[in-house]
Amino acid sequence: MPPIFSSQGKLELVTGSVAANMKLEVYDKDDKLICKLDSDDALLGSFPVDDGMRLHVVDATVRLGEFEDTSKVEKYEMSEDAYSKRSDSVRAFKERNKMGRFKEISPEEQNRLAEEKAKKDEAEKQKAESINIGDRCEVRVPEQPAKRGQVKYVGLTDFKEGLWVGVQYDEPMGKNDGSVKGKQYFECPDKYGGFVRVSHVEVGDFPEEDLGFSDDDEI
């Protein structure tokens, strides 16, 4: 049976760590530490190692969290003016090939898109006018569970264009207290408030549901 140092050499190909910097630990199937292979010249068979156990490699040269704080990593930054002058950038490639926002749109297509937007905006406006402060509602955002609450705000906002509905949910399933970026649109307990597009809100007879939450569930 080969010595520990020989096994470390083979592990270099698997872990990318240098053998001299490895610390080897053996864990059983329940992730309980069995022993540390801390003698390079000892044979593997001299340790209580059995089938089904896990060999854990610790790289002694890596400090925990060393590469997690990217603010400490020196970065190269290019000014907007310098970037716009480059001919080998992604932006230059898209501009040459008329891709993305550089894509040429015919006058007919521009008119069609403008008409579609006008119809969408008008439908959104009409629906917003049918929603009143105090209405019970159900919020149905695609790929998210339906949430019930009470309408607390309807109108334009500073955080994004378009019409928005501010809702105080029955349970702490929101994102705020009725304020966004320092501006208070309505008041409610924290995590009970949220803003959604008009198209995702239905008003009507939506009584409160008992979802099993309690004050003890909030942190």
Side-chain angles (χ1 to χ4, degrees), residues 135-153:
D135 283 348
R136 290 289 303 170
C137 68
E138 185 169 83
V139 175
R140 303 167 185 168
V141 178
E143 299 183 5
Q144 294 184 23
K147 296 180 287 188
R148 293 186 178 184
Q150 185 178 44
V151 176
K152 304 288 281 187
Y153 178 87

Side-chain angles (χ1 to χ4, degrees), residues 99-202:
M99 299 171 62
R101 61 190 176 95
F102 301 105
K103 181 180 179 181
E104 292 184 353
I105 302 177
S106 66
E108 293 79 8
E109 181 68 8
Q110 291 179 1
N111 291 335
R112 186 185 69 79
L113 293 175
E115 290 178 1
E116 287 184 358
K117 186 177 185 304
K119 290 180 180 179
K120 182 179 179 181
D121 291 345
E122 180 61 26
E124 187 178 70
K125 179 182 177 182
Q126 291 181 3
K127 185 170 184 179
E129 290 174 349
S130 68
I131 301 175
N132 301 304
I133 305 298
D135 283 348
R136 290 289 303 170
C137 68
E138 185 169 83
V139 175
R140 303 167 185 168
V141 178
E143 299 183 5
Q144 294 184 23
K147 296 180 287 188
R148 293 186 178 184
Q150 185 178 44
V151 176
K152 304 288 281 187
Y153 178 87
V154 183
L156 301 173
T157 66
D158 292 340
F159 57 81
K160 209 165 187 180
E161 65 178 12
L163 294 169
W164 292 81
V165 179
V167 179
Q168 178 176 337
Y169 295 113
D170 296 335
E171 303 290 347
M173 302 171 69
K175 296 182 178 180
N176 53 57
D177 61 352
S179 65
V180 178
K181 296 182 179 180
K183 181 171 181 178
Q184 195 82 41
Y185 293 90
F186 63 91
E187 294 184 356
C188 71
D190 192 26
K191 301 299 183 183
Y192 278 77
F195 290 85
V196 290
R197 292 289 189 182
V198 174
S199 58
H200 295 152
V201 179
E202 295 296 331

